[in-house]
Amino acid sequence: RRSTSPDMNVLEALAAARSGNISRAQTLSDELLKKRPSDTMVNEYWAPLIRASIELEKNQPARAVEILKPLISYDFSIANPVVSPLYPAYLRGLAFLELRQGEAAATEFQKVLDHRGLVQNSPLKPLACLGKARALALARNVSGSKAAYQEFLALWKNADSGQKLLEDAKTEFGRLQ
């Protein structure tokens, strides 16, 4: 059964957006805004985060960056016990990667890595390592990129083989050699 909890609705909307189900994400976001029109967290944090995720999936990274700018002040907030703090910074990093702005992307991913205590049990930690590796490669910082790839691969050393993300990272790292 589908949960009616706002926290679960947010998670479902974010998951839908990040997995490419844009119409579902938009519907869930619209429902959330309709049910909680005066909820500050919904209006100022969750809805923009969902919209930015949708824009990333629509290959509109510049729009995602603009949507995420006001969320900079929330980067370190714990808005939901399930969604990691620093998720806006991570999404900005992804958007800057798509915009081919390696240094800006690396800065956003580094925010996540500099505050590991906030993301210690979150997939954002290794994903930020990978994002930083890609960003530094884009910025032509080969030694920094190699170090970040090595950190990611060390974190995922026990991951199931055949994972596309892991295989992509190994291939990208191999190209730097």
Side-chain angles (χ1 to χ4, degrees):
R1 227 193 264 184
R2 186 168 172 254
S3 173
T4 58
S5 159
D7 286 346
M8 291 300 111
N9 290 347
V10 164
L11 292 175
E12 185 181 356
L14 286 172
R18 297 296 300 140
S19 65
N21 192 343
I22 294 169
S23 62
R24 180 72 181 142
Q26 188 62 59
T27 297
L28 290 165
S29 180
D30 292 345
E31 286 175 10
L32 194 61
L33 287 164
K34 185 177 179 181
K35 288 179 188 174
R36 303 179 74 96
S38 60
D39 187 319
T40 301
M41 285 305 294
V42 167
N43 286 281
E44 302 297 322
Y45 186 79
W46 294 118
L49 203 57
I50 295 164
R51 276 197 312 276
S53 295
I54 290 169
E55 293 301 326
L56 279 172
E57 288 303 312
K58 289 167 53 177
N59 295 315
Q60 297 294 323
R63 181 72 185 123
V65 169
E66 286 303 312
I67 292 168
L68 291 166
K69 274 184 186 175
L71 275 73
I72 290 172
S73 61
Y74 294 106
D75 277 353
F76 300 101
S77 67
I78 300 173
N80 177 304
V82 181
V83 176
S84 293
L86 294 161
Y87 194 66
Y90 175 74
L91 285 182
R92 276 193 302 278
L94 292 178
F96 284 128
L97 268 182
E98 287 188 32
L99 290 167
R100 308 208 42 82
Q101 295 178 16
E103 290 180 20
T107 297
E108 294 301 324
F109 294 126
Q110 190 62 49
K111 281 182 194 177
V112 176
L113 298 172
D114 284 345
H115 298 88
R116 293 174 190 253
L118 293 174
V119 294
Q120 64 186 344
N121 294 322
S122 165
L124 283 192
K125 184 166 100 175
L127 293 175
C129 283
L130 181 57
K132 180 181 173 185
R134 290 171 170 168
L136 291 174
L138 188 60
R140 302 195 192 293
N141 179 342
V142 175
S143 63
S145 180
K146 283 181 180 180
Y149 273 114
Q150 287 169 332
E151 185 176 356
F152 171 77
L153 293 170
L155 288 168
W156 273 42
K157 69 179 182 265
N158 296 321
D160 293 341
S161 62
Q163 295 275 341
K164 181 172 176 10
L165 190 64
L166 180 59
E167 297 305 318
D168 289 349
K170 287 178 180 178
T171 300
E172 293 161 15
F173 180 61
R175 282 190 212 127
L176 292 175
Q177 302 302 332

